[in-house]
Amino acid sequence: MTDNINIIWPYVENGWRPALEVLILAVVIYYTSRFLRGTRGWPVVIGFVVLLLALALITEVLNLQVLRSLLGYSSAFFAFAVLVIFQPELRRLLAELGNLPLFTTAHEQRESIEVIIQTCERLSEVKIGALIAIEQSIQLHEAVESGVPVDCEATPEMLETIFFPNNAIHDGGVIIKGDRIAYAACIFPLTQRQDLNKSLGTRHRAAIGLTEETDAVVVAVSEETGMVSHAYKGQLTRGVTLEELRAFLTSIIIQSPKSRGGFEWIRTRLIEHHKPRAAIVTKNEPYPAKQ
């Protein structure tokens, strides 16, 4: 047994580095292609790769030394071309990295929460419907069917303008990333639960549906009653006050450092996964809302 271990150990000791390199490259290539897929530069990527593979194949088959040398010396040119072609996508990628929770302070998160609170207060008073999704760790653009890119600072005035009934993009939901409005006029997936009240409208069903598939927090304002609701992990709470909404958003979005530990995260997710949750919790509802 010891002899077998002594024979195998050199291969393990010398082979883990190449395996790690392959794993890192695979992850980088996968997430890069996933990020670029669907962008204007994606067809350029496909054509670029096909051209390189064709040139490399011809070079090897015909043993073209000059072409092989040119391909080797052209790596710097190719890198520069990628920077030029994908400049908008790279800017968006860096902006998304800057909006990660690692770089977001609690003060900025509280400001974003106050923007949503002020928006709900204004829209509720005039009974204008709204559907606002706050993105967390799971990217929401993969869960929605459509959306108009906005990419502007999240302010109550901008959100009011988007949801104003005469606006061309007032239908659908808004996705907020960090302190910016990323998309508007998004169609969220509807929940398939059969135990919901028939009076529950499309807006609230979409709020439940999106939170069933992602870890987003969704805030909805009824255009019929002006009632404010929030949804999280497939549970909709209706008729909340602005103070209750502020406390809820703060508890979900602003987490203490201790709650971010790996063991605590796993324990919390397991408890939440097995804990039965009601589909709808009603607090202060004046009369049934349809939207």
Side-chain angles (χ1 to χ4, degrees):
M1 184 67 178
T2 305
D3 294 338
N4 292 334
I5 294 177
N6 292 334
I7 294 174
I8 297 174
W9 179 249
Y11 294 97
V12 175
E13 187 177 14
N14 297 326
W16 71 270
R17 289 184 178 85
L20 180 61
E21 292 176 348
V22 171
L23 178 62
I24 293 175
L25 287 174
V27 171
V28 170
I29 293 174
Y30 170 75
Y31 280 102
T32 301
S33 62
R34 184 178 176 182
F35 178 80
L36 295 176
R37 188 181 299 121
T39 63
R40 291 176 297 176
W42 180 245
V44 181
V45 172
I46 301 300
F48 197 65
V49 171
V50 170
L51 177 62
L52 286 179
L53 291 177
L55 289 176
L57 180 62
I58 294 174
T59 300
E60 292 298 326
V61 171
L62 301 180
N63 194 22
L64 303 177
Q65 300 296 332
V66 176
L67 187 56
R68 181 183 292 112
S69 299
L70 290 176
L71 289 176
Y73 292 135
S74 300
S75 57
F77 169 77
F78 292 152
F80 180 76
V82 168
L83 291 176
V84 174
I85 294 173
F86 299 108
Q87 185 259 354
E89 286 77 12
L90 292 174
R91 285 182 57 189
R92 181 161 58 91
L93 175 61
L94 294 175
E96 291 183 359
L97 289 176
N99 286 328
L100 289 176
L102 178 64
F103 304 100
T104 304
T105 64
H107 177 70
E108 294 173 341
Q109 292 173 331
R110 292 184 186 278
E111 287 183 345
S112 299
I113 291 175
E114 289 304 316
V115 167
I116 296 174
I117 297 297
Q118 294 177 27
T119 302
C120 292
E121 182 179 16
R122 298 179 183 181
L123 296 180
S124 177
E125 290 177 354
V126 294
K127 294 184 179 179
I128 294 179
L131 188 62
I132 304 172
I134 307 168
E135 183 179 273
Q136 298 201 84
S137 60
I138 299 177
Q139 295 188 4
L140 298 184
H141 69 270
E142 298 180 358
V144 301
E145 296 181 7
S146 64
V148 177
V150 178
D151 191 22
C152 67
E153 182 181 359
T155 62
E157 294 77 15
M158 180 57 68
L159 289 171
E160 283 184 84
T161 302
I162 291 176
F163 288 117
F164 190 74
N166 292 333
N167 195 335
I169 57 175
H170 79 280
D171 284 330
V174 162
I175 295 178
I176 293 182
K177 295 184 179 182
D179 61 347
R180 302 188 68 80
I181 303 174
Y183 297 92
C186 299
I187 301 176
F188 296 164
L190 299 180
T191 180
Q192 300 300 318
R193 298 186 63 160
Q194 302 297 322
D195 57 340
L196 301 179
N197 194 308
K198 299 298 182 181
S199 65
L200 195 67
T202 303
R203 180 176 290 110
H204 293 85
R205 291 178 182 271
I208 298 175
L210 184 64
T211 58
E212 286 175 337
E213 299 183 9
T214 68
D215 61 348
V217 181
V218 180
V219 179
V221 179
S222 171
E223 66 181 3
E224 181 176 334
T225 65
M227 183 177 60
V228 179
S229 308
H230 60 68
Y232 184 60
K233 293 189 179 300
Q235 184 182 58
L236 178 70
T237 304
R238 309 175 69 182
V240 299
T241 64
L242 296 178
E243 288 301 323
E244 290 172 337
L245 178 62
R246 179 183 288 107
F248 173 77
L249 294 178
T250 301
S251 66
I252 299 299
I253 298 175
I254 303 178
Q255 301 177 359
S256 62
K258 291 182 179 179
S259 66
R260 295 179 182 176
F263 177 77
E264 182 67 20
W265 185 89
I266 294 174
R267 186 181 69 84
T268 303
R269 291 300 182 273
L270 289 175
I271 293 175
E272 290 179 350
H273 179 73
H274 294 286
K275 181 179 178 181
R277 300 172 65 90
I280 302 176
V281 176
T282 302
K283 290 194 172 184
N284 307 305
E285 185 176 1
Y287 51 88
K290 297 182 180 180
Q291 292 296 331

